[in-house]
Amino acid sequence: MTQEPRGERIAKWLGRTGVASRRDAERMIEEGRVRLNGQPVTHPATFVTEQDLVQVDGKAVSSPDRTRLWRYHKPDGLVTTHKEPEGRPTVFASLPEGMPRVISVGRLDLNSEGLLLLTNDGELARRLELPSNGWIRRYRVRVFGVVDEARLAALAEGSVFEGVRYGPIDAGLDSRKGDNAWLTVSLREGKNREIRKVMAGLNLHVSRLIRTSYGPFQLGTLKRGELEEVPGKILREQMPKGPEKSGSRTSASKPRPTR
């Protein structure tokens, strides 16, 4: 007798719907916010099929759509969060009508701008954020102060400021005018507000921070507030190699930058 398929673990399924990342979905389950066919879900390894009814906070969740990814030019002045108790404007409230629910791949703080990747698939977001991908995040940074190029170059060996250890950062001086300078800064894994804190450790104040690329995905010519979907073929080609799969995605070979 053929055994009926068990379906997919509910935390992963919720991640693919864009409701939350898998980690956040597990937290929702712990908080008793998720129900399956009217019954509370008590374990993230619970399986769900297309025939099941899943509810979060009493609202039905639709089955996952095909995986999609967008490049978004985040302006400064927006926070990258769905719930903002202080009432500040958010990235998600600024998106065009008709957009599905999406989550961000990583974050940019209130005063930072530039490339932000958005996806309707929380599992994809988790995979693209993994440090093991080795994807470089590149920034253009305007600083105020006297740039010591030797200390800037030394950041490539890692650094410690105010008791916090930071990984290697590649930073170079692009131009200088008076006390203002533009730098190109690249890192593979960043802590919260890392660039601002490291630059402060070099007695440099960051007055502007623009992310220009995240792995193979480029800001390109996107204007502030502009959104553009990454074609499915390019998304499949750029997916980092790994044993995990989500939906119909497949890993691919060498990354090729997108415009």
Side-chain angles (χ1 to χ4, degrees), residues 11-27:
K12 183 175 180 180
W13 187 91
L14 284 170
R16 291 203 301 113
T17 66
V19 166
S21 66
R22 187 197 296 188
R23 184 178 301 171
D24 287 342
E26 290 174 351
R27 190 176 302 116

Side-chain angles (χ1 to χ4, degrees), residues 144-159:
F144 177 82
V146 179
V147 177
D148 183 329
E149 292 190 65
R151 293 189 71 191
L152 208 60
L155 296 176
E157 304 301 321
S159 56

